[in-house]
Amino acid sequence: MAGLAESGSNPDVDLLYDINGLAKDAPGWFDGIMEFMGEWGILLAMVLLVLGCWWTVRRRGGEDAAPSVAALMWAPLAAGIAVLVNVPIRGFVERPRPFREHEGLEVLIGGKTDYSFVSDHATLTMAMAVGLFIANRKFGLLGLGLALVEGFLRVYMGVHYPTDVIGGFALGTAVVLLLSPLAMALLTPVTRAAERSARAGRVIRARGNSPDEPDERDEHVISGASGDAGADAEERDLAA
C-alpha cells in the first residue's frame, strides 16, 4: 500500500508538483506566511469561527439555541474522533510523505516523519466545518472555505499529496455526518438542561434571552392590564 503514488505520470503526483511549484516561485516571506497558516493559522481560525458562531447563537437565543450549541459542541468532538480514526488508517496504508518519494519538492516545514495518508489537518478542518454547517449555515460555509484553503496549503507546503487531502476531507465529513444523530441525541438533552439552569444557562442564551426570565414586554402588558382592570372597577364603584 506504500506505493499509492510512485509514478511521475500519476495525476496525483503531477498536481502535487504543480501546486508545490508555486512555493518555489514565491518570495521567502510569503512562504513563511503560508507555512504558518497551513500548520497553525487555519486551525486557529476554525476555533475562532466556532467561538464566533457560539456567541451569535447565544445572543440570538430562540428555541433552537440549545440544539445549535449542541451541534457546536459536536464539531470539535467529531474532529477529535476523526483524527483517532485516522491513526489505524495511516498504519494500514503506510504511505510515505511525498518529499521522501519524489525529488525537487519545496518543503516548507521539516520534521514530518509520520505517514502521509490521510492528512490530519484536512480531517480536522473539514470535520469542524461540517459540524459548523449543521449548527449554522453562514458560519458553516465560512468553515468549508477555510477547510479548502487548508487542504491547498498542505499540498503547497510539500507535506501531502492531493489525495491525502481529499481522503482527510472525506474522513472528517463521514465521521460528523454518520455519528451526528447519536451525538445530537446525547448532547441536546445536556444543553437543554444547562439552558434551564440559572448559571449554566448563560452558556446557551445571553442574559435576557433565558426562557425562565420574564420578557419586559410581557411585564408591561401585565402591568397595563392590571391598571385597566382597576380603572374599570373604580368606574363601576362610582356608577353604583
Side-chain angles (χ1 to χ4, degrees), residues 120-190:
D120 279 341
H121 282 72
T123 302
L124 277 168
T125 52
M126 184 55 72
M128 293 185 71
V130 175
L132 261 175
F133 191 79
I134 293 175
N136 184 284
R137 298 294 185 267
K138 182 176 71 173
F139 281 91
L141 289 174
L142 292 174
L144 290 172
L146 287 176
L148 293 176
V149 172
E150 177 68 25
F152 173 83
L153 289 177
R154 300 309 288 176
V155 181
Y156 181 94
M157 293 164 62
V159 294
H160 280 293
Y161 294 98
T163 47
D164 297 338
V165 171
I166 295 172
F169 287 165
L171 176 59
T173 301
V175 169
V176 174
L177 296 182
L178 291 177
L179 298 181
S180 180
L182 175 61
M184 294 301 293
L186 295 175
L187 292 174
T188 301
V190 175

Side-chain angles (χ1 to χ4, degrees), residues 1 4 6 11-12 15 32 37 82 86 100 105 120 127 129-130 148 161 177 181 183 220 237:
M1 299 297 291
L4 284 177
E6 296 178 353
D12 193 25
L15 188 57
M37 293 302 297
N86 188 29
R100 296 183 177 274
L105 293 174
D120 279 341
V130 175
L148 293 176
Y161 294 98
L177 296 182
H220 178 72
D237 291 341

Side-chain angles (χ1 to χ4, degrees), residues 51-239:
L51 291 176
C53 184
W54 164 75
W55 186 258
T56 300
V57 168
R58 176 179 174 272
R59 290 189 62 186
R60 185 183 63 217
E63 295 181 357
D64 63 341
S68 295
V69 173
L72 287 173
M73 292 172 59
W74 171 232
L77 288 174
I81 293 173
V83 170
L84 291 177
V85 172
N86 188 29
V87 173
I89 294 176
R90 281 193 169 194
F92 175 73
V93 177
E94 294 185 345
R95 186 185 204 181
R97 295 279 181 172
F99 54 80
R100 296 183 177 274
E101 296 286 311
H102 306 282
E103 298 180 354
L105 293 174
E106 185 76 11
V107 184
L108 300 187
I109 185 168
K112 300 291 184 181
T113 59
D114 55 346
Y115 294 120
S116 183
F117 186 88
V118 297
S119 167
D120 279 341
H121 282 72
T123 302
L124 277 168
T125 52
M126 184 55 72
M128 293 185 71
V130 175
L132 261 175
F133 191 79
I134 293 175
N136 184 284
R137 298 294 185 267
K138 182 176 71 173
F139 281 91
L141 289 174
L142 292 174
L144 290 172
L146 287 176
L148 293 176
V149 172
E150 177 68 25
F152 173 83
L153 289 177
R154 300 309 288 176
V155 181
Y156 181 94
M157 293 164 62
V159 294
H160 280 293
Y161 294 98
T163 47
D164 297 338
V165 171
I166 295 172
F169 287 165
L171 176 59
T173 301
V175 169
V176 174
L177 296 182
L178 291 177
L179 298 181
S180 180
L182 175 61
M184 294 301 293
L186 295 175
L187 292 174
T188 301
V190 175
T191 55
R192 288 202 182 280
E195 186 179 30
R196 293 189 295 268
S197 171
R199 293 185 178 180
R202 302 288 183 247
V203 177
I204 311 300
R205 295 171 181 260
R207 184 175 181 85
N209 285 331
S210 173
D212 295 331
E213 292 181 359
D215 194 322
E216 292 181 358
R217 292 172 297 178
D218 293 341
E219 289 181 350
H220 178 72
V221 170
I222 293 171
S223 176
S226 299
D228 292 342
D232 291 342
E234 184 178 353
E235 289 179 0
R236 288 195 297 269
D237 291 341
L238 291 173

